Amino acid sequence: MKKILITGGAGYIGSHTAVELLNAGMEPIILDDLSNSDAKVLDRLEEITGKRFTFYKGDCNDKSTLEAIAKDHKIEGVIHFAAFKAVGESTAQPLKYYRNNVGSLIVLLEFMQEQGLKDLVFSSSCTVYGQPEVLPVTESTPRQDAESPYGNTKKICEDILVDFIKSKPGLRVVALRYFNPVGAHPSAKIGELPLGIPANLVPYITQVAAGIRERLTVFGDDYDTPDGSCVRDYIHVVDLADAHVKTLSFLQKQEMDFYDVFNVGTGNGNTVLEVIHSFEKVSGVKLNYQIGPRRPGDVVKTWADTTKINQVLGWHAKYSLEDSMRDSWNWQKGLV
Ligand SMILES: NC(=O)c1ccc[n+]([C@@H]2O[C@H](COP(=O)([O-])OP(=O)(O)OC[C@H]3O[C@@H](n4cnc5c(N)ncnc54)[C@H](O)[C@@H]3O)[C@@H](O)[C@H]2O)c1
């Protein structure tokens, strides 16, 4: 079995990717400092797969930790999820974000070059596109100035990857630009675990439905969209995990010093109100929500053109918005 190092593998997207890697016949080796996750996820992964995954608790900024892993295991690919991701916090504490998100990528690239490791999948984000002028968003849509230090770390990391590959380090890299990851594993054993007040729509919805929060505010219903609320491309986390598996197989077939980017989304936009109504339909719960004023800095509408990933990687999103709402709700119900 090919061993794949997953940094941030105890987190939301990383844990789902660990399952899909195993399903595809690869062995995940998880490195996580548990700064935004819980070690219990390893028990949950074992319940889903029947396998105890190899886990290292450590910081990806610490090269000696990476070296210790490489000593114990013949690593054949790396997926780099480890990063901080709270947009609001990144504005309050930008250096924390630059140090962790940019710093960990630099340490990882040095480590990979020194160890002769070739294949890297990097977690980027549709945030690099800002509010695109033309929809849907293709990979050649110009990137825009970031709205937050978090968004800027993704842009900077992409730039570092471009420059590094130009120096011919002997690596093959793909940056996946995720749209809006939602949902949970259909087993309801792993899912998104927001600490504190959720910054994302779907965990907020499920927490209101579960009685943890009183009411959801929809920020604006007078935008130029079908029902006036903002539009996003909601991608089920298991589909997203599968995109990483397909990317790794693709990378193994490329020449050295390869770099490319792929959008990962469904290709469909849904409004905030559509998400709420989809949730109400699958859960049978009437959601307590109100319409509030527009929120400064919000992207009004964005969704992915997925032609490239469909054609080049042979990847397609399989789950619907209702599947995502059902799985998120089942996960939330298991938490309370
Ligand atoms: N969830 C989203 O909406 C979204 C959208 C676009 C991109 N991304 C990116 O995808 C990646 C994964 O996101 P997620 O939603 O699974 O987040 P998450 O917080 O659930 O997972 C990240 C994991 O990385 C760990 N971590 C952070 N810094 C670390 C370090 N220095 N060393 C070791 N472990 C560290 C955390 O403990 C956590 O378990 C991130 O890079 C994020 O920026 C996420």
Side-chain angles (χ1 to χ4, degrees):
M1 268 195 177
K2 281 202 160 106
K3 294 185 177 183
I4 306 298
L5 174 62
I6 317 184
T7 75
Y12 174 44
I13 305 169
S15 57
H16 290 81
T17 302
V19 174
E20 296 312 308
L21 281 175
L22 188 74
N23 288 343
M26 290 176 260
E27 184 182 341
I29 308 289
I30 296 175
L31 168 66
D32 202 299
D33 65 1
L34 303 179
S35 55
N36 196 37
S37 48
D38 193 308
K40 287 196 200 92
V41 76
L42 294 158
D43 301 334
R44 299 305 194 88
L45 288 170
E46 190 173 355
E47 287 169 31
I48 295 171
T49 63
K51 191 176 157 57
R52 189 77 190 174
F53 290 150
T54 306
F55 172 65
Y56 290 82
K57 182 175 185 300
D59 183 349
C60 195
N61 289 285
D62 176 10
K63 207 192 282 178
S64 63
T65 301
L66 295 166
E67 286 164 352
I69 297 172
K71 215 163 157 237
D72 294 348
H73 303 276
K74 184 173 180 292
I75 302 294
E76 300 202 42
V78 181
I79 308 180
H80 185 45
F81 292 108
F84 296 144
K85 64 167 182 178
V87 173
E89 186 188 57
S90 79
T91 305
Q93 298 180 61
L95 298 185
K96 176 178 170 181
Y97 276 69
Y98 286 112
R99 182 186 289 277
N100 195 38
N101 296 9
V102 179
S104 67
L105 177 68
I106 294 171
V107 172
L108 184 70
L109 291 173
E110 286 172 354
F111 159 76
M112 289 185 71
Q113 190 176 25
E114 283 158 16
Q115 299 283 333
L117 303 186
K118 298 188 172 24
D119 295 332
L120 173 66
V121 186
F122 174 72
S123 297
S124 190
S125 168
C126 72
T127 187
V128 299
Y129 298 119
Q131 174 58 68
E133 279 170 22
V134 180
L135 289 162
V137 182
T138 71
E139 288 78 357
S140 48
T141 296
R143 299 181 314 163
Q144 298 194 13
D145 287 348
E147 289 280 346
S148 69
Y150 166 72
N152 207 24
T153 67
K154 293 296 170 190
K155 256 183 104 178
I156 292 171
C157 285
E158 287 193 356
D159 292 342
I160 290 172
L161 291 171
V162 170
D163 286 343
F164 189 53
I165 289 300
K166 277 189 202 150
S167 77
K168 303 210 178 305
L171 260 74
R172 302 177 283 215
V173 183
V174 159
L176 294 178
R177 290 176 176 161
Y178 313 156
F179 278 65
N180 285 61
V182 289
H185 195 265
S187 66
K189 291 186 187 300
I190 52 173
E192 190 171 3
L193 203 64
L195 299 176
I197 300 172
N200 292 332
L201 175 64
V202 176
Y204 210 106
I205 289 178
T206 59
Q207 289 197 3
V208 170
I212 299 168
R213 313 220 166 259
E214 197 193 337
R215 191 187 303 128
L216 171 77
T217 300
V218 176
F219 299 109
D221 70 346
D222 55 355
Y223 288 112
D224 176 22
T225 63
D227 58 26
S229 61
C230 290
V231 175
R232 297 285 181 280
D233 185 336
Y234 295 96
I235 171 81
H236 194 292
V237 65
V238 173
D239 277 332
L240 179 55
D242 179 48
H244 294 78
V245 174
K246 297 240 170 20
T247 303
L248 276 177
S249 323
F250 167 77
L251 279 174
Q252 283 154 14
K253 291 179 220 129
Q254 306 311 309
E255 301 286 324
M256 277 312 139
D257 303 315
F258 174 89
Y259 175 73
D260 208 350
V261 296
F262 291 89
N263 288 341
V264 198
T266 63
N268 299 309
N270 286 104
T271 66
V272 173
L273 292 171
E274 281 168 356
V275 174
I276 292 172
H277 297 143
S278 169
F279 175 81
E280 289 182 326
K281 187 175 160 199
V282 299
S283 67
V285 177
K286 188 95 193 72
L287 200 76
N288 185 14
Y289 71 91
Q290 64 182 8
I291 307 295
R294 292 180 177 194
R295 192 169 51 174
D298 262 349
V299 168
V300 177
K301 44 188 169 182
T302 186
W303 65 94
D305 183 320
T306 59
T307 309
K308 185 173 171 187
I309 191 165
N310 297 156
Q311 291 182 351
V312 180
L313 298 192
W315 173 92
H316 293 86
K318 298 190 187 83
Y319 290 85
S320 66
L321 181 62
E322 288 192 5
D323 294 331
S324 294
M325 294 303 115
R326 179 202 61 220
D327 293 336
S328 291
W329 182 226
N330 286 338
W331 160 245
Q332 178 70 58
K333 283 189 291 185
L335 286 177
V336 286

